[in-house]
């Protein structure tokens, strides 16, 4: 039985086939108790969330828009990961690969800066950043282990250096978090 459900949401023109791949692979890489489901429709983000002077979306506002539009999120039980082809930023950073707002239950990965001519490389980056943002939604912080998927990525080199896997410490935290959540739900 699923304790946590994560809804994968294609944003704008994000390819459905890639969103389906993320849904399947994350389902294999997260511990039991976390279920991933692909939303059978797309979300469109209004241009009011676009910063014209920077030609980038405001990442946090896109995540809040995702949470508000779905209307079915119930953190920490029902969460969403949006996938966007756009470029985005948060205040203080030139760009972000993704953003997670655990209290809203929503995260978004922005794939523009993950592109590579090598499609497999691109998909691997997409998987890593998707795992990373969902990890944040499930209570994980940044990890000091540079090979762990929860290590902070300042550049695409950092993304390529880490593995599409949680280190043992993060995996243990994740499993503890899910079993605690399962117990608290069972007793309510
Ligand atoms: Zn992070
Ligand atoms: Zn770790």
């Amino acid at each position: 039985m699923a304790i946590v459900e994560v809804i994968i949401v294609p944003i704008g023109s994000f390819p459905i086939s890639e969103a389906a791949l993320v849904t399947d692979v994350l389902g294999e890489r997260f511990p039991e108790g976390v279920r991933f489901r692909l939303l059978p429709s797309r979300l469109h983000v209004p241009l009011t969330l676009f910063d014209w002077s920077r030609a980038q979306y405001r990442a946090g506002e896109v995540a809040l828009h995702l949470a508000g539009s779905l209307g079915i999120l119930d953190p920490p039980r029902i969460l969403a990961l949006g996938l966007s082809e756009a470029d985005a930023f948060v205040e203080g950073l030139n760009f972000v690969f993704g953003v997670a707002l655990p209290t809203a239950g929503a995260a978004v990965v922005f794939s523009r800066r993950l592109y590579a001519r090598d499609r497999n490389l691109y998909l691997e980056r997409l998987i890593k950043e998707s795992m990373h943002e969902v990890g944040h939604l499930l209570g994980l912080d940044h990890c000091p282990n540079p090979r762990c998927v929860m290590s902070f990525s300042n550049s695409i080199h950092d993304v390529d250096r880490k593995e599409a896997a949680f280190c043992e410490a993060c995996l243990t935290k994740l499993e503890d978090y899910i079993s605690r959540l399962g117990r608290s739900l069972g007793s309510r």
Side-chain angles (χ1 to χ4, degrees):
M1 196 196 79
I3 294 164
V4 177
E5 183 162 60
V6 183
I7 303 163
I8 306 290
V9 182
I11 296 178
S13 56
F14 193 92
I16 300 291
S17 60
E18 291 175 12
L21 180 83
V22 169
T23 308
D24 290 345
V25 175
L26 266 57
E28 292 162 9
R29 310 251 166 119
F30 277 75
E32 229 179 292
V34 187
R35 181 169 60 194
F36 292 85
R37 192 159 60 91
L38 178 63
L39 189 78
S41 79
R42 293 169 178 284
L43 177 76
H44 292 282
V45 172
L47 276 174
T48 49
L49 306 187
F50 191 74
D51 184 309
W52 291 95
S53 64
R54 301 180 56 138
Q56 289 173 304
Y57 279 94
R58 291 188 287 274
E61 291 183 32
V62 175
L64 286 175
H65 175 74
L66 168 64
S69 313
L70 281 180
I72 52 167
L73 299 190
D74 185 14
R77 274 263 296 137
I78 305 177
L79 313 168
L81 173 70
L83 298 171
S84 165
E85 289 190 306
D87 189 21
F89 75 102
V90 297
E91 221 45 71
L93 290 177
N94 287 334
F95 70 91
V96 288
F97 294 121
V99 68
L101 303 176
T103 50
V108 181
V109 167
F110 299 94
S111 70
R112 175 67 56 89
R113 292 177 192 255
L114 300 175
Y115 282 147
R117 223 176 271 232
D118 177 346
R119 182 169 162 78
N120 286 333
L121 176 62
Y122 163 69
L123 292 175
E124 198 181 343
R125 291 170 172 174
L126 179 67
I127 299 283
K128 287 175 186 175
E129 291 312 299
S130 298
M131 289 177 72
H132 182 100
E133 298 308 338
V134 175
H136 281 318
L137 291 184
L138 298 178
L140 292 180
D141 293 321
H142 285 143
C143 179
N145 180 343
R147 301 184 61 170
C148 175
V149 80
M150 289 313 295
S151 67
F152 174 69
S153 296
N154 206 12
S155 71
I156 198 69
H157 304 292
D158 297 340
V159 178
D160 290 340
R161 188 195 55 204
K162 62 190 183 185
E163 292 169 6
F166 298 103
C167 73
E168 252 177 76
C170 286
L171 195 58
T172 303
K173 279 185 207 164
L174 205 50
E175 285 168 348
D176 287 351
Y177 174 87
I178 292 159
S179 66
R180 266 202 316 276
L181 193 61
R183 281 199 300 274
S184 72
L185 291 169
S187 63
R188 127 171 132 179

